[in-house]
DNA sequence: AAGTGGTCTAGACCACCAT
DNA sequence: TGGTGGTCTAGACCACTTC
């Protein structure tokens, strides 16, 4: 609308493809023409066609699979960080099939723990914790990794349960532990190589990182977690309490600015 | 560490430059060799050198200025969304010079308002509001835009004040209005062309969008704002109340899931 | 075997700005 | 004016999948 003809060719082509997708002409999962085909169609070089596709991949409108051509991405999932019901529940309600793949499930001795885990869970010396890393999926598509720590004291045989189910469901059903609240720290970042491999997606993908500590009604911390969510597949919302607002008393467990 | 020699050349060079920056060899604001110089230094083509620089620009480690060469970026600013004191105050405390540039300062009649503004500010028909759009800067670098609405009823001659100062400071000093809390909705997104122009940065930059409504101690909403923060220049933290947690009662002003 | 994306080359022209 | 980045070309080779 501003200066249509002065936009570089690769942006013009990206916009054109984006419009075909928005108009429904190209539905979700539809394959895009190959880079060489696009180049011939538009009378441009392959590198320029590739640049156009890259823009839409970065926006999350197209996805590349392996070394195959690009496809129209499914619409992004909505995830409300403040809503009752975690990711599993919200996906299910949206008609999406939630899943989980266990990457790590181990018991860690006290001495192997980072201080932040010890502090967050208020562990006493020699206490062991369970360390669980899960790849979360939606319709079999990886959307997040969860790196969680649970005190053995509270959940003695946690690793024997079926950990691909909702973990909060297990905690409630078998240990009668329910979250009364949590403190979360958010950070926008780009995916590093290590996590990219675990999540089976490209490096430098924009992500939302969340470090959180969940507590029960009697203010016992029962989970410390570091979650990484794909920014290209999820839209996040969160209701936060803003500046100058006091937190509910049961959550005021550490000084605001360490 | 995994497979050093099989990394593509442009990634190897990006890593090498990144290490020179982390080691302090290249300090903040140091200019990077030009694309043509890099190409010659490493015996590669200019397009490959350019790809290396682009990776670091996307990560926020390098910045491009106009059509000049790339420079080492200043460290990112930390911004705690839940801390007392807004962006202005936090920057000042960190030894950074906060600034603001007025993009729009106008009075809008009731009929020109979007429903979300009317609802958030609980306006009665025929009430006018002040609409202020400000470009926020840190050491003269653009870091955010704030698109805010204030009821005329509460702040009759707001536009006559010096709006490049802290607006909350003006509200407190001249109108005795102080925020008691706010509800915020967060969303990670990519910058569209319109806002990119206002912010004077490239399109598709990763950003954090916040829609918030601030209220006084007697639960009078006095500001509705839509903020966009650069994800490449800021690290955000927020203490959010997680699933299954009740908000402070004075903030429970609308149903959780509209 | 054919087609694909991932990477890389060695050029080119342009607009912009002060290195 | 000379150097810069922004864009674009017309090829190429490779590893991988099967479009």
């Amino acid at each position: 609308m501003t200066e249509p003809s002065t936009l570089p060719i690769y942006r013009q082509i990206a916009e054109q493809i984006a419009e075909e997708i928005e108009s429904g002409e190209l539905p979700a999962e539809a394959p895009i023409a190959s880079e060489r085909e696009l180049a011939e169609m538009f009378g441009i070089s392959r590198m320029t066609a590739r640049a156009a596709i890259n823009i839409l991949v970065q926006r999350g409108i197209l996805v590349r699979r392996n070394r195959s051509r690009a496809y129209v991405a499914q619409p992004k999932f909505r995830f409300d960080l403040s809503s009752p019901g975690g990711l599993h529940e919200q996906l299910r309600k949206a008609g999406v099939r939630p899943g989980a793949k266990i990457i790590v499930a181990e018991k860690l001795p006290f001495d192997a723990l980072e201080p932040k885990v010890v502090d967050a869970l208020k562990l006493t010396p020699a206490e062991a914790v369970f360390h669980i890393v899960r790849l979360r999926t939606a319709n079999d598509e990886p959307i997040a990794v969860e790196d969680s720590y649970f005190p053995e004291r509270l959940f003695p045989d946690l690793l024997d349960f079926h950990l691909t189910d909702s973990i909060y469901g297990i905690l409630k059903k078998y240990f009668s532990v329910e979250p009364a609240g949590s403190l979360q720290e958010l950070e926008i970042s780009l995916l590093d190589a290590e996590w990219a491999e675990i999540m089976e997606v490209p490096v430098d993908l924009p992500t939302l990182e969340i470090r959180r500590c969940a507590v029960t009604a009697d203010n016992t911390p029962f989970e410390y977690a570091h979650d990484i969510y794909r920014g290209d597949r999820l839209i996040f919302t969160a209701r936060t309490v803003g500046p100058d607002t006091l937190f509910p008393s049961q959550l005021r467990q550490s000084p605001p600015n360490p």
Side-chain angles (χ1 to χ4, degrees), chain A:
Chain A
M1 292 298 154
T2 48
E3 318 153 22
S5 64
T6 65
L7 272 180
I9 297 177
Y10 68 94
R11 290 209 174 270
Q12 292 180 40
I13 293 176
E15 292 310 321
Q16 182 166 335
I17 296 174
E19 279 168 23
E20 288 175 12
I21 293 171
E22 279 169 38
S23 74
E25 199 172 333
L26 287 171
E29 296 300 325
I32 298 299
S34 79
E35 295 174 356
R36 287 170 177 86
E37 286 167 356
L38 278 175
E40 194 177 4
M41 287 163 56
F42 289 96
I44 57 178
S45 79
R46 186 185 150 212
M47 289 295 277
T48 304
R50 181 172 174 77
I53 292 180
N54 281 343
I55 287 182
L56 300 179
V57 168
Q58 199 207 339
R59 287 188 194 165
I61 294 177
L62 296 182
V63 285
R64 290 189 193 281
R65 297 208 182 118
N66 295 323
R67 289 179 125 78
S68 177
R69 55 179 69 191
Y71 295 81
V72 178
Q74 297 280 357
K76 296 186 182 188
F77 306 114
R78 283 209 157 262
F79 180 30
D80 183 352
L81 299 167
S82 309
S83 165
L87 182 57
H88 189 99
E89 184 72 2
Q90 286 185 48
L91 289 175
R92 204 182 50 71
K93 280 185 181 167
V96 174
R97 181 164 29 83
K101 177 181 159 191
I102 309 299
I103 307 293
V104 171
E106 61 184 356
K107 181 164 134 178
L108 289 179
F110 183 85
D111 292 339
L113 301 176
E114 297 174 69
K116 63 184 180 187
V117 176
V118 175
D119 292 346
L121 294 177
K122 293 180 180 169
L123 299 177
T124 56
E127 259 196 278
V129 301
F130 296 118
H131 177 215
I132 299 174
V133 179
R134 300 194 308 166
L135 176 68
R136 308 291 298 268
T137 59
N139 290 340
D140 295 324
E141 179 185 24
I143 54 169
V145 284
E146 247 179 13
D147 187 5
S148 315
Y149 299 83
F150 301 90
E152 182 190 31
R153 159 176 42 88
L154 297 175
F155 316 106
D157 52 356
L158 181 60
L159 296 189
D160 297 336
F161 289 85
H162 199 252
L163 298 175
T164 52
D165 296 340
S166 163
I167 291 214
Y168 275 25
I170 295 173
L171 301 190
K172 178 179 179 182
K173 190 167 177 184
Y174 300 103
F175 299 98
S176 300
V177 168
E178 270 190 280
S182 69
L183 284 185
Q184 315 191 55
E185 279 200 349
L186 317 182
E187 184 171 334
I188 293 181
S189 58
L190 299 176
L191 202 56
D192 68 27
E194 188 184 354
W195 285 110
E197 191 177 342
I198 293 174
M199 289 188 73
E200 306 163 5
V201 294
V203 296
D204 287 336
L205 197 73
T207 62
L208 179 66
E209 284 191 66
I210 298 185
R211 280 167 284 275
R212 62 188 156 85
C213 180
V215 299
T216 62
D218 61 358
N219 206 23
T220 305
F222 69 90
E223 179 196 31
Y224 173 80
H226 178 196
D227 301 342
I228 300 181
Y229 299 92
R230 288 176 65 169
D232 65 331
R233 296 297 300 128
L234 292 160
I235 293 179
F236 309 91
T237 60
R239 292 187 293 282
T240 81
V241 281
D244 303 327
T245 300
L246 294 181
F247 288 97
S249 60
Q250 81 269 18
L251 288 175
R252 238 184 286 140
Q253 51 188 10
S254 62
N257 281 313

